[in-house]
Amino acid sequence: MIAEECAVTGTEARRRPTIYDVAEAAGVSKSLVSLVLRGSPSVSEARRTAVLDAMARLDYRPSQAAAALAGATTRTIGVVIDDYRNLWFVELLRGLQEGLAPHGLRIAVADHTLNAHVEAHPLDGFLSMRVDGLVIATEPTGAMRVPEGLPVVVAGHREGVVPGADVVANDDRLGARLATEHLVGLGHRGIGHLTGGGGAARLRAEGFAEAMAAAGLEPRTVAGDGATTEEDGYVAAVRLLDTAPETTAVFAANDTMAMGALAAAGERGRRVPQDLSVVGYDDSPIASTHLLQLTTVDSRNAEIGAVAAERLVARIGGSPAPETAVLLDPQLVVRGSTAAPRSTA
């Protein structure tokens, strides 16, 4: 290893300044300094000037190897999802891939729950890979340190906010109203909603309550253990059916929770749809299987992915446009899991 030369004054040894020193002196992130080094057009003139001034003050000289690395591009988009068991993201990835492939961009996917027992966030791994952009399809947290200037799209309604990110989602309130109005239209009066955590679930619960109030009905909303997994759907459905046996229809926050509700109904001798109608949300691949034939709400995830890809490509290309929010109208998909209650059939 070749040691760096240093001049010694008194007892202090002066080391060669690093990119981190420049970032601290300029009051910006290390990633933004890298963007300046490779001449990215996404950096504002004010921040570029601050970085260049800091480099001059510190007499910073990037090595040729570091400069080459700073100019490298992985042609990769990182996608952070919330749970591999929740299949809503399948169509999202398809839309993303179809939108990114013509531009030579590929996707890499990470589930933030898989390594929740360690401190590292998958976002950190993507940043070390030097991805060209990010899609955040989970609830943003304080652990997500997204560098300024990196193209980011948030997919779906989320509780947290990512500064500078575009947002692409479906209208969750409208979708919940469509599902609830479908059940009311069939003649159901004892309708329960299975909910969980997150921004999308909250909006769907609000839409359910709005539709029930408009129909003059009392909303029954039950949560599982805090998430929106199949187990949460099962736990919530058991609680609902045991405390309100007059329930004739269930609207679940997503298709995965609906699967848990179907299991709970079967254990309690409730036939679907003869004794209990069940509606999900997302129109994930499991919904259309011959076994389930689940009535659900199409949240248009493939189109969300396509729009997200479009926004990322524009950002990577240096688009100076301000962040945007795109809201798509969901659609009700009626299958075999819903029918009129037997009392009014």
Side-chain angles (χ1 to χ4, degrees):
M1 183 174 72
I2 301 175
E4 292 184 351
E5 294 181 1
C6 60
V8 178
T9 303
T11 59
E12 292 188 359
R14 295 182 57 197
R15 62 180 176 81
R16 183 177 300 168
T18 69
I19 192 172
Y20 295 97
D21 297 321
V22 174
E24 182 178 1
V28 300
S29 67
K30 177 255 185 185
S31 299
L32 191 134
V33 176
S34 295
L35 290 174
V36 172
L37 287 174
R38 64 175 181 255
S40 172
S42 63
V43 181
S44 69
E45 193 57 38
R47 290 184 179 273
R48 187 186 308 279
T49 299
V51 170
L52 294 176
D53 287 346
M55 290 170 62
R57 291 197 309 273
L58 296 174
D59 194 25
Y60 174 73
R61 296 288 185 272
S63 68
Q64 291 300 315
L69 181 60
T73 177
T74 62
R75 308 302 293 169
T76 300
I77 301 299
V79 184
V80 183
I81 63 173
D82 49 12
D83 191 341
Y84 275 119
R85 295 168 296 179
N86 188 343
L87 297 180
W88 74 270
F89 70 88
V90 173
E91 288 297 295
L92 171 77
L93 294 181
R94 180 172 69 83
L96 269 172
Q97 191 275 334
E98 292 178 354
L100 296 173
H103 301 276
L105 294 163
R106 60 179 179 271
I107 56 177
V109 184
D111 178 349
H112 83 94
T113 62
L114 286 180
N115 294 313
H117 60 288
V118 297
E119 292 184 1
H121 193 280
L123 200 61
D124 298 329
F126 284 144
L127 296 180
S128 67
M129 288 170 54
R130 305 185 64 81
V131 294
D132 295 287
L134 287 169
V135 174
I136 297 178
T138 184
E139 302 297 323
T141 67
M144 293 186 180
R145 296 177 292 275
V146 180
E148 186 174 345
L150 182 68
V152 181
V153 173
V154 174
H157 283 111
R158 305 298 172 189
E159 297 284 7
V161 176
V162 179
D166 294 313
V167 178
V168 187
N170 90 109
D171 189 336
D172 290 291
R173 275 201 189 90
L174 172 60
R177 291 200 300 270
L178 292 175
T180 309
E181 290 166 359
H182 168 65
L183 294 172
V184 171
L186 289 172
H188 291 280
R189 295 297 177 265
I191 306 172
H193 177 53
L194 312 182
T195 190
R202 175 180 56 79
L203 292 174
R204 292 170 190 180
E206 291 174 1
F208 166 74
E210 291 169 2
M212 291 291 283
L217 301 174
E218 184 69 27
R220 302 167 180 166
T221 301
V222 183
D225 292 329
T228 55
T229 65
E230 180 183 5
E231 180 64 20
D232 287 288
Y234 172 82
V235 170
V238 166
R239 291 171 178 165
L240 174 66
L241 296 177
D242 287 353
T243 57
E246 69 276 15
T247 299
T248 61
V250 169
F251 163 46
N254 60 26
D255 294 344
T256 308
M257 292 192 80
M259 288 179 62
L262 292 172
E267 286 185 3
R268 276 150 181 71
R270 298 282 196 103
R271 296 170 301 161
V272 176
Q274 294 92 334
D275 304 316
L276 184 72
S277 286
V278 178
V279 180
Y281 205 112
D282 287 329
D283 198 22
S284 59
I286 61 173
S288 61
T289 59
H290 293 293
L291 177 63
L292 297 186
Q293 282 297 298
L294 181 67
T295 294
T296 185
V297 177
D298 181 1
S299 48
R300 299 174 65 184
N301 288 318
E303 291 168 82
I304 289 176
V307 175
E310 178 183 299
R311 298 305 307 148
L312 287 168
V313 169
R315 295 285 183 192
I316 293 170
S319 171
E323 61 267 22
T324 59
V326 179
L327 198 62
L328 303 178
D329 287 341
Q331 300 167 343
L332 180 70
V333 181
V334 179
R335 297 193 178 98
S337 66
T338 53
R342 285 188 296 173
S343 59
T344 61

